[in-house]
Amino acid sequence: MKIGIFDSGLGGLIIARAIRKVMPEYDYVYLGDTKRVPYGNRSHEAVFEFTRECVDYLFRKENCAIVIVACNTASARALRKLQKEYLTPSPFGHSPLAGGEERKILGVLIPTAEECVKFESIGILGTRGTVDSNTFPVEIRKFNKRAKIFQNSAPMLVPLAEEGEMENAMPFIKEYLQPFINKKLDALVLGCTHYPIFKNQIRKILKTPARGVLADIKLISQDEIIPKKLKDYLKRHQEITKKLSQNKTARILVTDMTKSVQKLTKKWFGQNIKPRLISF
Ligand code: DGL
């Protein structure tokens, strides 16, 4: 069985690539919902419905033993409900999946919140959906009761990234970081799959002398966190790990195929894997 990685678009490939680097032995299948990205400005209901469709596909059609919901918006809006749906035994004594096999669904929000334990003043940059859900502050306070938390959404960064227009992002990044200036932040969470792409630009802005107060800030980036957390999880959950096949393969599935999808897949996953178009 495989490890499934799901994202609303292609940004999650950066996390997928980092996971595969740490654990190359397993078989991976990535699903990017490129037809419906971005999720960040959609209703709670739509995000849940789309996420359920994608996760279900990975379980039923791709035979995944575990699915990582790499998308923060989906982790905030849909994860708990999906975990309940898949993991709660049905009245017939098995999970809703055929065969009653137990599967796992993990998100990226809680592992990221755990990383915030040592900081006092924390900024969260996320999509509108993630910020409005207030999930990051709630989860961070479970590990760090006294944290001062400030949030801002960065709605233009995902479309710019998915279009491959990273170099045009600077004015937007400046604007989105503005509310954090003078907050004496110790850490800034890049709370969206696509933001690590802008890491250097974000660092550059934070380091300009006029923004000196933010110069030493720690950037909390999920591509640096999730692989290790997943590795630890798999060590602790042998009931899942023992089901995973180890042929070192990776496949990329998308719900819409464009030139930009093909280009970015190669750029962000770092390998020449041809994405395959699927439909539900
Ligand atoms: N993947 C989503 C996330 O991490 C961002 C992209 C979107 O808005 O769909 O929040």
Side-chain angles (χ1 to χ4, degrees):
M1 294 175 88
K2 293 169 230 156
I3 297 178
I5 301 172
F6 159 68
D7 184 35
S8 57
L10 299 176
L13 284 170
I14 292 160
I15 291 182
R17 177 185 188 166
I19 291 175
R20 197 160 175 241
K21 196 165 171 205
V22 171
M23 291 176 286
E25 64 273 32
Y26 295 119
D27 294 310
Y28 294 92
V29 53
Y30 178 92
L31 172 52
D33 194 3
T34 47
K35 194 174 189 171
R36 300 182 288 200
V37 69
Y39 281 15
N41 48 3
R42 303 235 186 218
S43 70
H44 204 134
E45 292 73 22
V47 173
F48 178 74
E49 194 188 310
F50 297 166
T51 306
R52 177 161 58 182
E53 232 166 8
C54 293
V55 168
D56 209 64
Y57 187 96
L58 288 171
F59 281 143
R60 289 180 199 274
K61 295 266 172 55
E62 292 294 328
N63 198 27
C64 292
I66 181 166
V67 169
I68 319 302
V69 174
C71 177
N72 289 264
T73 313
S75 294
R77 295 292 205 191
L79 187 68
R80 281 215 195 282
K81 210 170 154 197
L82 277 179
Q83 283 173 328
K84 264 196 198 152
E85 245 178 56
Y86 280 103
L87 304 182
T88 309
S90 79
F92 307 106
H94 52 70
S95 84
L97 282 162
E101 280 246 40
E102 198 195 336
R103 321 267 179 136
K104 293 282 185 213
I105 313 173
L106 304 179
V108 287
L109 259 149
I110 295 175
T112 310
E114 282 170 2
E115 285 298 297
C116 295
V117 69
K118 45 191 182 289
F119 302 107
E120 244 173 59
S121 183
I122 303 158
I124 314 286
L125 200 62
T127 64
R128 274 201 191 116
T130 301
V131 168
D132 290 352
S133 76
N134 211 36
T135 313
F136 265 119
V138 168
E139 294 300 337
I140 291 172
R141 288 205 175 96
K142 287 182 189 164
F143 300 100
N144 184 352
K145 282 200 173 48
R146 288 176 311 153
K148 284 188 224 121
I149 302 170
F150 307 92
Q151 302 192 83
N152 197 24
S153 60
M156 282 306 292
L157 297 190
V158 171
L160 283 169
E162 293 276 325
E163 283 304 316
E165 299 267 332
M166 277 67 85
E167 63 289 350
N168 294 327
M170 213 52 170
F172 294 101
I173 299 176
K174 265 187 199 153
E175 188 191 319
Y176 298 143
L177 292 178
Q178 192 56 40
F180 297 125
I181 307 291
N182 301 327
K183 295 290 190 298
K184 296 203 166 89
L185 294 189
D186 304 312
L188 178 69
V189 174
L190 305 181
C192 173
T193 41
H194 295 60
Y195 300 170
I197 299 158
F198 301 104
K199 226 185 271 180
N200 287 340
Q201 282 151 289
I202 292 173
R203 272 208 190 100
K204 204 165 164 189
I205 291 173
L206 296 179
K207 283 199 169 136
T208 53
R211 291 156 210 273
V213 279
L214 290 179
D216 294 327
I217 198 169
K218 163 86 182 157
L219 286 190
I220 300 185
S221 186
Q222 290 167 331
D223 57 319
E224 295 165 21
I225 300 171
I226 304 302
K228 191 182 167 299
K229 298 269 184 188
L230 180 60
K231 193 171 180 180
D232 291 348
Y233 179 91
L234 291 177
K235 243 187 224 156
R236 283 182 281 111
H237 291 268
Q238 288 300 318
E239 75 284 7
I240 294 292
T241 313
K242 70 177 186 234
K243 292 182 192 169
L244 297 174
S245 50
Q246 302 196 9
N247 302 307
K248 302 184 176 174
T249 64
R251 295 168 65 226
I252 297 172
L253 312 177
V254 292
T255 51
D256 190 26
M257 186 72 77
T258 60
K259 275 204 184 121
S260 153
V261 163
Q262 289 172 345
K263 202 172 109 196
L264 291 179
T265 300
K266 191 170 167 198
K267 188 167 175 191
W268 291 345
F269 196 61
Q271 269 189 7
N272 211 356
I273 294 178
K274 223 170 161 232
R276 191 165 69 80
L277 181 66
I278 60 146
S279 58
F280 301 117

